[in-house]
Amino acid sequence: MQDAARAACVSHAFLRCWRFYPNIGFSNLTVGCNGVLTKAETSRKFASKVNQVLKNHSGIGLKTIKLEFLGHNSSDCSSLNSWLRVAITSELEELSLVLSSEVATYRFPCSLLSGLRGNSIRYVHLSGCVFRPVVRLSCFKSLMNLRLYHLRISEDELGCLLSSCSALELFSFGYCNEITCLKIPDMLQRLNDLQVVGCNDLRVVESKALNLSSFYFGGKRGQISHGEQLKNLTMPHPRALDNAHAMLPTSMPNLETLDISLRLKTDTPMMHSQFLRIKYLRITVDVYSFPHINDYISLVPFLDASPCLESFYLQVAEPMEHDSIFRDPSPLRRMPGHRHDKLKSVKIIGFNSAKSLIELTVHIIENAGSLESLTLDTADCSLGCSDSETERCSTLGQSTLMEVPRALFAIRRYVEGIVPSTVKLDVLEPCARCCNAS
């Protein structure tokens, strides 16, 4: 009886605490919907669990609501509406609704955001739904972080939404196929970070936000206008710069950090202008380029066009056998007249025996008078190798393991002997566990 009384007291105390619990999150994992269940069973179990939990919550004091409902059906729309009615109050700060991206059928009830509801919202993440705001949403005046993915939303509706977010600092946007022109209004004076991913139909990104400093563009192609104030630019798709690299210095003169993916060719054009302020340059060579031609010495014009460059990071592609320096005994090419006097740190990930890569490395050593450190990582060891005896190292491909000895021999033969004593040379290779795991 005493144990039963104690359990009852604890249960009532827990229930009272739960009714005002500030942070609630639901996903297939948290409600126990594993892969064994069918889509219909998953939908029923998810809805049942969420209904049971929210039924016991007062809605008072709720700060964060996260709904990740990946197995929903069209019949679940009424349940979603009821959950959002409970969650969206004047106290809510974070709202996350992630639905299946296959077909966006659920229409988000924008009426819940009207008036005083959601007046304190700081973070919104919507994915996999129809979002049709037709009037400005005053409740978003405090919104700082907005993430929209896989939405059905028009350009006018998106413009209406953005005009409601005067305090916005980060805007992440992707996979919205109705958008071909993304316009960022000048009223977003606090916006400093813009991220665009997976928008293959997007043609133009026009930003008038005066304080925008960082831009991540994951599309294949697109014209970027009004980027004069940008300091950090990331473009991971190799096609994004097929015809744009020559215009970047003039359209974005204040860039300090540039992270791009390239397809190298023997006829890569020269740079006709300069990245006058870039201090950090990261280049990832596209591993799927065809025909497979990676002439790394063609990167010298990028270095030459960056007179203030201090750090250079290069992720290289896996070499073809015919690229190896041991199959081409001709003298190394030199590019005289190119100096990189402020370059201090260079790191090459995936270093191999490709002749043009050896030529680039030798060129940097001979022409970077301020060089302090040179890291040649033969297998991305900084990510693959584990310091813990209980954790496994990353599995390396057989071709990578076969290339490592050639890369190490090339370093000893062509690089080590010309590195000045003032430069710290780090050569990284897979550990024994990496080789055994592979």
Side-chain angles (χ1 to χ4, degrees), residues 240-256:
L241 284 177
D242 278 351
N243 300 308
H245 72 276
M247 78 171 193
L248 284 177
T250 54
S251 63
M252 302 175 187
N254 293 311
L255 276 183
E256 296 179 2

Side-chain angles (χ1 to χ4, degrees), residues 47-313:
S48 175
K49 292 287 187 180
V50 176
N51 285 329
Q52 184 178 358
V53 170
L54 292 183
K55 180 180 178 181
N56 292 319
H57 198 286
S58 66
I60 300 175
L62 186 60
K63 301 293 185 182
T64 301
I65 181 70
K66 296 180 180 180
L67 292 166
E68 185 178 324
F69 193 7
L70 301 181
H72 75 286
N73 297 309
S74 57
S75 59
D76 296 313
C77 292
S78 60
S79 296
L80 286 166
N81 287 342
S82 65
W83 301 338
L84 292 174
R85 275 194 293 270
V86 173
I88 300 178
T89 68
S90 58
E91 299 177 275
L92 188 69
E93 296 180 359
E94 296 188 17
L95 169 63
S96 179
L97 176 63
V98 179
L99 305 178
S100 176
S101 59
E102 297 177 0
V103 180
T105 57
Y106 174 67
R107 191 181 187 95
F108 188 95
C110 295
S111 59
L112 295 179
L113 299 172
S114 62
L116 296 178
R117 280 183 172 268
N119 201 32
S120 60
I121 294 180
R122 303 287 190 274
Y123 174 96
V124 170
H125 177 189
L126 299 179
S127 179
C129 62
V130 182
F131 194 60
R132 305 292 191 191
V134 293
V135 295
R136 294 182 61 179
L137 302 173
S138 60
C139 63
F140 278 176
K141 63 182 181 182
S142 300
L143 185 65
M144 302 171 66
N145 191 320
L146 177 62
R147 300 172 185 268
L148 306 177
Y149 307 106
H150 300 283
L151 293 190
R152 290 171 57 188
I153 184 172
S154 69
E155 293 178 7
D156 290 339
E157 291 162 345
L158 181 59
C160 179
L161 172 62
L162 292 178
S163 65
S164 306
C165 308
S166 57
L168 197 63
E169 297 179 358
L170 183 149
F171 178 40
S172 186
F173 176 81
Y175 308 99
C176 299
N177 296 328
E178 295 181 34
I179 307 297
T180 59
C181 177
L182 175 61
K183 295 183 179 181
I184 308 298
D186 56 2
M187 65 178 300
L188 300 186
Q189 296 298 310
R190 298 184 184 180
L191 184 67
N192 59 67
D193 193 346
L194 175 62
Q195 303 169 6
V196 178
V197 296
C199 294
N200 295 331
D201 295 326
L202 188 64
R203 295 293 178 265
V204 179
V205 177
E206 180 180 321
S207 173
K208 296 183 180 179
L210 297 179
N211 292 311
L212 182 64
S213 61
S214 296
F215 181 33
Y216 179 101
F217 180 70
K220 291 182 180 180
R221 53 184 175 176
Q223 179 182 349
I224 306 167
S225 62
H226 301 287
E228 294 83 1
Q229 73 284 3
L230 283 179
K231 294 183 178 180
N232 309 302
L233 175 65
T234 300
M235 303 180 77
H237 199 288
R239 293 185 181 178
L241 284 177
D242 278 351
N243 300 308
H245 72 276
M247 78 171 193
L248 284 177
T250 54
S251 63
M252 302 175 187
N254 293 311
L255 276 183
E256 296 179 2
T257 298
L258 180 61
D259 187 342
I260 56 177
S261 179
L262 288 178
R263 292 181 173 180
L264 300 184
K265 305 175 183 178
T266 54
D267 60 345
T268 300
M270 298 291 287
M271 304 297 292
H272 299 293
S273 50
Q274 291 187 320
F275 300 94
L276 294 178
R277 299 192 179 187
I278 283 188
K279 295 183 179 180
Y280 177 90
L281 175 62
R282 177 185 176 121
I283 296 178
T284 300
V285 176
D286 179 27
V287 298
Y288 301 109
S289 60
F290 185 84
H292 190 109
I293 300 175
N294 288 324
D295 189 16
Y296 294 100
I297 198 71
S298 66
L299 292 176
V300 171
F302 279 88
L303 303 180
D304 198 41
S306 309
C308 293
L309 186 66
E310 297 180 359
S311 299
F312 177 49
Y313 188 110

Side-chain angles (χ1 to χ4, degrees), residues 308-437:
C308 293
L309 186 66
E310 297 180 359
S311 299
F312 177 49
Y313 188 110
L314 176 63
Q315 176 85 47
V316 305
E318 185 174 310
M320 301 294 283
E321 187 176 352
H322 62 264
D323 292 335
S324 177
I325 194 170
F326 302 115
R327 296 180 65 88
D328 183 358
S330 61
L332 298 179
R333 291 174 293 173
R334 295 293 200 276
M335 296 189 69
H338 297 268
R339 297 291 301 175
H340 320 295
D341 291 327
K342 293 191 177 182
L343 187 59
K344 298 179 181 180
S345 175
V346 174
K347 186 171 186 178
I348 302 178
I349 302 297
F351 190 89
N352 54 63
S353 64
K355 184 176 181 179
S356 65
L357 186 58
I358 303 296
E359 292 171 333
L360 175 64
T361 305
V362 171
H363 170 84
I364 291 174
I365 294 172
E366 294 177 344
N367 294 279
S370 300
L371 191 64
E372 298 176 357
S373 67
L374 173 62
T375 301
L376 305 178
D377 189 339
T378 59
D380 207 353
C381 302
S382 58
L383 295 178
C385 295
S386 172
D387 296 330
S388 172
E389 294 185 1
T390 59
E391 296 182 6
R392 296 185 61 184
C393 295
S394 298
T395 301
L396 300 177
Q398 190 64 30
S399 58
T400 300
L401 291 175
M402 293 178 63
E403 175 59 28
V404 167
R406 290 193 289 264
L408 295 174
F409 184 68
I411 293 172
R412 289 193 295 269
R413 183 171 179 177
Y414 296 98
V415 177
E416 286 184 352
I418 63 172
V419 176
S421 59
T422 56
V423 178
K424 180 183 179 183
L425 174 63
D426 287 326
V427 178
L428 306 181
E429 58 182 294
C431 67
R433 285 185 297 163
C434 284
C435 299
N436 293 334

